Amino acid sequence: MVNRMKRQVLVGSFILSLGTGVLLLILAVRSIAMSLEAERTLGAYLLVLSVLTSYTSQNQGRWPQSWEDLATVHVVDHYGSWEWPRDIVKIRQRIRIDFAITAKELAAIESSEFKFVEQVGPNYGPRESQIRELLEAIRRFPLRPAQN
């Protein structure tokens, strides 16, 4: 009877330990998958900020009206596996741009207030140095009253 009880406790402990190990493995795999998604989103985000900086520089500080406007920009930068404009459809699933904002409004804000390009899904947050570069590109040009 005592040996049977010891065996049951031992088997129960083994099963509990095995279950805990499997749960930890599942959590680790999910965490790695989320990190990889966040990394992909970060690459898309950095590429879009680079494209926006190029667009505003090439268009006298104007903010684009659509993704189609941005598709005309040629950039040599690559972030992760993303290539511009080849991957624009996939990038649009990860990045949201407010095309309604004007260059005049953007020129008046600080990089810490910039919320007009957002990462969708798992991400590592905004990158202020790239946002500063974008805002500086907009501010390089004198804004006319009707300029977007």
Side-chain angles (χ1 to χ4, degrees):
M1 176 83 90
V2 171
N3 284 339
R4 185 173 178 210
M5 220 188 222
K6 284 182 180 179
R7 192 171 347 132
Q8 286 176 339
V9 168
L10 193 59
V11 169
S13 296
F14 174 74
I15 291 172
L16 184 61
S17 296
L18 184 62
T20 302
V22 169
L23 180 62
L24 288 174
L25 180 61
I26 290 169
L27 290 173
V29 168
R30 283 192 59 175
S31 179
I32 291 169
M34 283 189 77
S35 291
L36 291 172
E37 281 302 302
E39 197 67 33
R40 287 184 193 106
T41 300
L42 175 63
Y45 177 69
L46 293 173
L47 180 55
V48 166
L49 289 175
S50 176
V51 169
L52 284 164
T53 301
S54 294
Y55 180 89
T56 56
S57 293
Q58 294 168 11
N59 290 279
Q60 291 77 41
R62 285 192 314 268
W63 188 249
Q65 298 294 298
S66 67
W67 283 98
E68 290 72 27
D69 288 351
L70 293 177
T72 65
V73 175
H74 175 74
V75 294
V76 293
D77 298 334
H78 290 274
Y79 293 92
S81 61
W82 300 111
E83 190 175 316
W84 188 264
R86 181 193 73 188
D87 296 322
I88 195 169
V89 172
K90 292 177 187 174
I91 290 170
R92 286 178 69 166
Q93 296 170 354
R94 293 178 184 268
I95 307 299
R96 189 176 304 125
I97 301 173
D98 181 352
F99 292 109
I101 191 79
T102 65
K104 183 177 181 179
E105 292 169 310
L106 287 167
I109 67 168
E110 297 299 321
S111 58
S112 61
E113 301 169 296
F114 186 86
K115 308 283 186 249
F116 306 99
V117 178
E118 296 178 311
Q119 300 172 72
V120 179
N123 66 77
Y124 295 122
R127 292 294 185 256
E128 265 198 56
S129 62
Q130 285 82 4
I131 292 169
R132 262 192 308 277
E133 284 179 36
L134 172 58
L135 294 175
E136 287 169 8
I138 292 169
R139 290 176 187 135
R140 276 189 212 119
F141 298 95
L143 297 172
R144 293 178 292 280
Q147 187 172 358
N148 183 17

